[in-house]
Amino acid sequence: MNVAVIIAGGSGNRMGQDIPKQFMHINGSPVIVHTMKCFQIHPDIDAIAVVCLKGWETVLQAYANQFNIDKLKHIFPGGKTGMESIHNGIYGLRDAGYGDEDIVLIHDSVRPLLSQEIISSNIATCKAYGYAVTGIKCREAILETDDGFATSTSIPRDRLIRTQTPQTFRLKNIIDVHEEAKAKGIKDSVSSCTLVAEVGGREMHLVPGSEKNIKITTTEDLEIVKALMNTSGEEWLKR
């Protein structure tokens, strides 16, 4: 089976709004509904699990019912950190009876413009290699700073990848990574791919991402996503 695990356990404090950003509305629907729809309509996704912020579980289920997200099969409790939320999601799947070889696509709830092509590529790459990470080659010049105000050091961009989600694994593989992280005392890695890198001993394969697969972190990001949703591509542009 192919299961999407959507991480929606954050409170969105950096956004500075009264409700969590995953429940803010764009074009009449909550952000998380837009995100769930990406997986709902994909023919190869069998189920959706959401790791949800405490107190919002009933709201989430109500939205799923309202917007016909019938692939939502599981709601797991969010953790204190993103790593803990991912842990709750994957161990929740294991406890629900999913098998070692089932494919798990771990995705941010606030990336609502995920394309069908990226989902397909993640599944195919994971089937072939066991690990798939969505990413984009870095185009910007990169500088390093210690204090955020001054810099004198540049970092070559040729080998740098800006990672996105989904990040996709066979269920046993990602659980094994979390077990090894426990043994090594790793408690707060920022994403699944960084956790795999910190634990070591595994090669991840990259899936081309998209600039449209933006993560909503600020109000500016929200405005960009809304603009993208309301814009169609120019027909004369070569693809």
Side-chain angles (χ1 to χ4, degrees), residues 44 47 74 77 79 93 105 120 124 196:
D44 293 333
H74 311 281
L93 290 182
L105 297 91
S120 295
V196 172

Side-chain angles (χ1 to χ4, degrees), residues 38-199:
C38 298
F39 296 102
Q40 173 72 24
I41 65 176
H42 196 286
D44 293 333
I45 296 296
D46 300 298
I48 298 170
V50 175
V51 182
C52 188
L53 180 65
K54 183 179 180 181
W56 288 84
E57 299 90 348
T58 301
V59 174
L60 173 66
Q61 186 62 65
Y63 280 139
N65 296 342
Q66 179 183 353
F67 292 96
N68 301 312
I69 310 295
D70 59 15
K71 288 185 181 179
L72 177 62
K73 305 299 183 184
H74 311 281
I75 300 176
F76 300 124
K80 295 179 181 178
T81 65
M83 181 175 167
E84 187 175 319
S85 288
I86 293 169
H87 173 283
N88 292 353
I90 59 177
Y91 282 76
L93 290 182
R94 185 190 64 180
D95 294 343
Y98 289 84
D100 290 348
E101 297 302 306
D102 287 332
I103 289 177
V104 180
L105 297 91
I106 300 170
H107 188 64
D108 299 321
S109 64
V110 288
R111 290 187 188 270
L113 297 181
L114 175 65
S115 72
Q116 299 295 283
E117 292 78 13
I118 291 176
I119 295 174
S120 295
S121 294
N122 266 265
I123 294 171
T125 300
C126 186
K127 283 182 176 179
Y129 303 106
Y131 300 82
V133 176
T134 308
I136 298 178
K137 290 185 177 180
C138 190
R139 299 173 181 172
E140 297 87 354
I142 303 296
L143 299 177
E144 183 178 20
T145 179
D146 292 325
D147 58 9
F149 295 99
T151 179
S152 61
T153 306
S154 66
I155 300 175
R157 65 185 179 186
D158 297 346
R159 299 175 63 190
L160 297 180
I161 299 293
R162 294 159 44 210
T163 63
Q164 301 179 332
T165 61
Q167 297 176 10
T168 304
F169 315 89
R170 294 196 183 275
L171 181 58
K172 183 180 186 303
N173 289 347
I174 190 61
I175 287 178
D176 285 348
V177 167
H178 277 256
E179 288 295 317
E180 290 182 36
K182 288 180 187 177
K184 293 184 176 183
I186 302 171
K187 297 181 179 180
D188 195 16
S189 196
V190 296
S191 68
S192 294
C193 66
T194 58
L195 184 62
V196 172
E198 288 175 54
V199 167

